[in-house]
Amino acid sequence: MLKNKVALIVEDNAINLIAIKGILDKLDMRFKRNTSGAQVVEQAQKMLPDVILLDMDLPYGNSLAIYDALKHAQDLQDIPVIALAENSLPQEVMTEIATRDFAGRIPKPFVEKDVRQTLQKVFKNGQRKS
C-alpha cells in the first residue's frame, strides 16, 4: 500500500529528518525534503507528491499559512497533508490542527508504528488518488 508512494517532508530539524527518512525507507516510500518551509507550494507543484508531511513548528515559516497555501492551490488541494507535531505545541496550534482538514497528525518524536498507521489510514481512505 505504501510502496513507491512519494512524500514531501517539510521539516527543519536534522534529527527528525533522519528519523522520518529511516521510517520511510523501511516502508519503501520515496521522498523529497524541504528544510525551511520556503517555496513549499512551488516544490509540491513540481513533484506532485502523494502526501505532504508538514512540521508544525518551523522556525522560519508559518506552518498554518503553508497549509492554507497548499489547500488553495488547485493542483495540490487533493494531496493529503499530515501534521508533524510535538504534544508540547501551544494549545492554539493544536486547536488549529484539529479544525483544519489535515489528513492526520504524527506526534514527535517519531515512532515507526505511528508513522506507518497514519500513512496507511490516509491511503486506505483514498484521500489521494494514485
Side-chain angles (χ1 to χ4, degrees):
M1 179 186 301
L2 300 176
K3 187 174 184 170
N4 295 322
K5 297 287 187 190
V6 179
L8 172 57
I9 305 167
V10 184
E11 171 64 68
D12 65 297
N13 183 290
I15 294 170
N16 288 336
L17 275 171
I18 291 168
I20 197 81
K21 176 193 177 309
I23 294 169
L24 295 180
D25 283 344
K26 286 182 181 179
L27 298 173
D28 290 323
M29 289 184 66
R30 296 178 293 134
F31 65 90
K32 298 272 186 186
R33 62 181 185 244
N34 179 309
T35 58
S36 68
Q39 300 179 327
V40 171
V41 172
E42 294 84 356
Q43 185 177 8
Q45 286 173 321
K46 286 180 185 172
M47 66 179 285
L48 294 175
D50 295 299
V51 65
I52 298 170
L53 307 177
L54 179 60
D55 179 13
M56 298 310 297
D57 192 26
L58 293 168
Y60 304 111
N62 180 326
S63 300
L64 294 172
I66 291 169
Y67 174 85
D68 290 342
L70 289 165
K71 289 303 173 181
H72 284 97
Q74 189 169 354
D75 52 343
L76 302 176
Q77 62 190 6
D78 292 332
I79 296 175
V81 179
I82 297 173
L84 305 177
E86 297 92 350
N87 290 328
S88 62
L89 282 176
Q91 185 56 46
E92 60 269 11
V93 175
M94 297 302 270
T95 300
E96 287 292 333
I97 292 170
T99 59
R100 281 178 164 79
D101 193 25
F102 278 88
R105 178 178 160 271
I106 298 173
K108 295 179 188 179
F110 301 123
V111 175
E112 182 178 346
K113 178 182 172 187
D114 295 334
V115 175
R116 183 182 65 251
Q117 287 179 343
T118 302
L119 289 167
Q120 286 174 334
K121 180 180 173 188
V122 165
F123 292 114
K124 180 179 179 186
N125 290 340
Q127 292 188 34
R128 170 68 180 196
K129 298 176 187 85
S130 296

